[in-house]
Amino acid sequence: MKDALHIIKLGGSAIDNTEELTDFLNSFSQISGLKILVHGGGKIATRIGARMNIQSVYSNGRRITDDESIDLVTMVFAGLLNKKIVAALQSNGCNAIGLSGADGNAIQTEKRKGSSIDYGFVGDLNTDSVNSELIIHLLQYGLTPVFNAITHNNTGQLLNTNADTIASALASALSSSFNVRLTYTFDRPGVLLDPNDPHSVIQNLNRETFQQLKNENSIHSGMLPKLESCFRTLNSGVDRIQLCHTSAINDALNLKGIFTSIYN
Amino acid sequence: MKDALHIIKLGGSAIDNTEELTDFLNSFSQISGLKILVHGGGKIATRIGARMNIQSVYSNGRRITDDESIDLVTMVFAGLLNKKIVAALQSNGCNAIGLSGADGNAIQTEKRKGSSIDYGFVGDLNTDSVNSELIIHLLQYGLTPVFNAITHNNTGQLLNTNADTIASALASALSSSFNVRLTYTFDRPGVLLDPNDPHSVIQNLNRETFQQLKNENSIHSGMLPKLESCFRTLNSGVDRIQLCHTSAINDALNLKGIFTSIYN
């Protein structure tokens, strides 16, 4: 019987709102058993970048990460946000340890290639990216890893990496050792049939329903890659994937209230 | 028989010079056995702060750390510098893991009080500050902790802490489990009798000689608190303390070349 492991990706605006973040971290601290948190923080990096006259340029929603930008996101994600989150969790009695992919070689990525757009210092994960042995060791010692979106290529270069993808890769890699439940939190109560109607949450989404909704063009475009990725992650042996509002994390983990549950 | 443990404080200008830093990290990676690195990075924080219109104010050589400054040094020390160093060490095959004091509650400090000057979010260490159990666990797993100068008070506040003091506190706390050798690197070849003459290195400095030189006013003022601290650290059971130029670290550890050795 494998132990349960919760992997939570903190998304949406909560990371940029002291009160919402405090509430979320209190809820996260209350999750019993093994757990991992993953976070980004793009909007804060953009704001701090603006103060330094570093312009944030995006293509298809992804930051073009030049020399200055990789320094910026490393400062903001791995420094400011990661350490604030870790200190807050410690104050809640949750023994958090902040990790970039470079720390303990936890997550090794490759600089993106083969794209028509040069995204710069952006890291892509592969099936060998996650150092499961290290993460299991830290979990077994009672630590709660808190991953930021910075990884490395093992030849000294830090790389900006998509936090959703990190959460998914961790879930896949650790699913052979744990019963993994992966939860993405964001500013919506779940996957919506009508993006303008917060009451239109699709509460249960299996592969067949997903295909059907896709054929009917009923999944709005922004959710499509996220859901495609969820079903790929399920294929790798992850037990359950949930999407919920950041404020609803405890309810969703207890299968109460409104959220989207994704299963095969 | 206790294992040897090297604790190295990286000081001087090397952290701000890519070539010198690379050389130092190559040398550090070659140290065999258990090791810990400690770094600050004040000048870089001052420069990045200036780009953000955050003025760096010092009193007695210590940064006055207000709300904005603690965010700044957290970004620069725990983010930018710590992760660059960790990634460089990983590329050398040294399995480094970056740690602030908040990570795993590695180093817990108290906000400075009882000073006539309000230093703001500055943390002072006490005899219980260091979480030796965690650090020993990480070392035994084969990891090399890389500490930045950010700690926490365990109620959610990050605190800016003197990196020399962190190195000394780690050395003291770990001396019951290891034969600790503590090395401070800086821009001079050792403790100088004449601060203007790099050839005037005091190669061996015991407590008696130190007292004598102090009585003669032969120790220049900047070195006095550092050396006082070294002798206090020796009292706590640390085997040996050395001061050397950052570029001379490997020689000094092999007891070759010019450096200052401090002993009881």
Side-chain angles (χ1 to χ4, degrees):
Chain A
M1 179 67 182
K2 295 188 278 187
D3 282 333
L5 170 64
H6 284 290
I7 300 178
I8 317 281
K9 157 72 199 312
L10 168 61
S13 59
I15 202 166
D16 201 14
N17 178 311
T18 307
E19 203 175 318
E20 282 178 50
L21 182 60
T22 302
D23 286 349
F24 170 79
L25 295 175
N26 288 344
S27 296
F28 178 82
S29 302
Q30 288 163 27
I31 301 169
S32 62
L34 305 177
K35 52 188 185 272
I36 292 175
L37 182 60
V38 184
H39 69 86
K43 280 182 196 165
I44 300 170
T46 298
R47 203 165 59 231
I48 291 175
R51 279 187 69 170
M52 297 175 68
N53 285 319
I54 299 173
Q55 214 190 333
S56 293
V57 182
Y58 289 85
S59 178
N60 299 323
R62 298 289 162 93
R63 182 184 293 271
I64 306 282
T65 309
D66 61 7
D67 269 331
E68 280 204 313
S69 298
I70 187 66
D71 283 1
L72 171 67
V73 293
T74 301
M75 290 201 300
V76 176
F77 299 167
L80 185 64
L81 299 177
N82 192 261
K83 298 318 161 201
K84 277 195 173 179
I85 288 171
V86 167
L89 291 175
Q90 286 287 346
S91 77
N92 290 340
C94 169
N95 196 4
I97 184 166
L99 295 172
S100 73
D103 296 303
N105 191 25
I107 303 176
Q108 188 176 317
T109 59
E110 277 181 280
K111 188 168 181 287
R112 181 166 302 172
K113 52 192 174 194
S115 165
S116 56
I117 297 155
D118 181 6
Y119 283 94
F121 296 111
V122 163
D124 282 326
L125 290 119
N126 58 49
T127 50
D128 292 329
S129 284
V130 172
N131 182 347
S132 301
E133 192 194 305
L134 170 80
I135 297 165
I136 293 169
H137 188 77
L138 298 176
L139 286 167
Q140 283 174 341
Y141 184 69
L143 292 162
T144 293
V146 178
F147 280 95
N148 55 71
I150 303 299
T151 60
H152 78 140
N153 69 351
N154 212 24
T155 59
Q157 180 63 54
L158 295 165
L159 294 166
N160 185 19
T161 307
N162 182 267
D164 279 9
T165 314
I166 287 179
S168 154
L170 287 168
S172 297
L174 294 165
S175 63
S176 59
S177 307
F178 300 99
N179 287 324
V180 175
R181 269 174 78 177
L182 171 61
T183 304
Y184 291 100
T185 81
F186 55 172
D187 290 334
R188 291 181 165 155
V191 179
L192 303 178
L193 252 184
D194 172 0
N196 297 314
D197 178 7
H199 298 293
S200 67
V201 173
I202 307 168
Q203 299 201 44
N204 291 292
L205 190 57
N206 64 12
R207 199 175 295 271
E208 197 184 326
T209 316
F210 176 59
Q211 198 55 52
Q212 193 181 320
L213 291 168
K214 233 171 64 172
N215 295 344
E216 295 165 3
N217 288 321
S218 296
I219 304 279
H220 61 280
S221 59
M223 275 317 288
L224 210 54
K226 195 161 188 144
L227 291 175
E228 300 272 17
S229 156
C230 285
F231 282 105
R232 278 196 304 275
T233 306
L234 276 182
N235 279 347
S236 69
V238 173
D239 258 30
R240 180 195 284 268
I241 303 181
Q242 295 171 305
L243 294 99
C244 69
H245 194 280
T246 305
S247 66
I249 180 76
N250 275 2
D251 269 359
L253 294 180
N254 291 314
L255 309 181
K256 289 182 200 161
I258 303 295
F259 61 93
T260 297
S261 187
I262 296 178
Y263 51 95
N264 272 314
Chain B
M1 179 67 183
K2 294 188 279 187
D3 282 333
L5 170 64
H6 283 290
I7 300 178
I8 318 281
K9 157 71 201 310
L10 168 62
S13 59
I15 201 166
D16 201 14
N17 178 309
T18 306
E19 203 175 320
E20 283 179 49
L21 182 60
T22 302
D23 285 349
F24 170 79
L25 295 174
N26 289 344
S27 297
F28 179 81
S29 302
Q30 287 163 27
I31 300 170
S32 61
L34 304 177
K35 51 189 185 270
I36 292 175
L37 182 60
V38 183
H39 69 87
K43 280 182 196 163
I44 300 170
T46 297
R47 203 165 58 231
I48 291 175
R51 280 188 68 171
M52 297 175 68
N53 285 318
I54 298 174
Q55 214 189 335
S56 292
V57 182
Y58 289 85
S59 178
N60 299 321
R62 299 289 162 91
R63 183 184 293 269
I64 307 283
T65 309
D66 61 7
D67 270 330
E68 280 204 313
S69 300
I70 186 66
D71 282 1
L72 171 68
V73 293
T74 301
M75 289 199 302
V76 175
F77 299 167
L80 184 65
L81 299 177
N82 192 261
K83 298 318 161 201
K84 277 194 173 180
I85 288 172
V86 168
L89 291 175
Q90 285 287 347
S91 76
N92 290 340
C94 169
N95 196 3
I97 184 167
L99 295 172
S100 74
D103 297 303
N105 191 26
I107 303 176
Q108 188 176 318
T109 60
E110 276 181 282
K111 188 168 180 288
R112 182 167 300 172
K113 52 192 175 196
S115 165
S116 57
I117 297 154
D118 181 4
Y119 284 94
F121 296 111
V122 163
D124 282 326
L125 290 119
N126 58 48
T127 50
D128 293 329
S129 283
V130 172
N131 182 347
S132 300
E133 192 194 303
L134 170 79
I135 298 165
I136 292 169
H137 187 77
L138 298 177
L139 286 167
Q140 284 174 341
Y141 183 69
L143 291 161
T144 293
V146 178
F147 280 95
N148 55 70
I150 303 299
T151 60
H152 78 142
N153 68 352
N154 211 24
T155 60
Q157 180 62 54
L158 296 165
L159 294 166
N160 185 19
T161 307
N162 182 267
D164 279 9
T165 314
I166 287 178
S168 154
L170 287 168
S172 297
L174 294 165
S175 62
S176 58
S177 307
F178 301 98
N179 287 325
V180 175
R181 270 173 79 178
L182 171 61
T183 305
Y184 291 100
T185 81
F186 55 173
D187 290 334
R188 290 181 165 153
V191 180
L192 303 179
L193 252 184
D194 173 359
N196 298 313
D197 178 6
H199 299 293
S200 68
V201 173
I202 307 168
Q203 299 202 43
N204 292 291
L205 189 57
N206 66 11
R207 201 175 294 272
E208 196 184 327
T209 317
F210 176 59
Q211 197 56 52
Q212 195 181 319
L213 291 168
K214 232 169 67 171
N215 294 345
E216 295 165 3
N217 289 319
S218 297
I219 304 279
H220 61 279
S221 59
M223 273 318 288
L224 210 53
K226 194 159 188 146
L227 290 174
E228 299 273 18
S229 157
C230 285
F231 282 106
R232 279 196 304 276
T233 307
L234 276 182
N235 279 347
S236 69
V238 173
D239 259 29
R240 180 195 285 269
I241 304 181
Q242 295 172 306
L243 294 98
C244 69
H245 195 280
T246 305
S247 66
I249 180 76
N250 274 3
D251 270 358
L253 294 180
N254 291 316
L255 309 180
K256 289 182 202 161
I258 303 296
F259 61 93
T260 296
S261 186
I262 296 178
Y263 51 96
N264 271 314

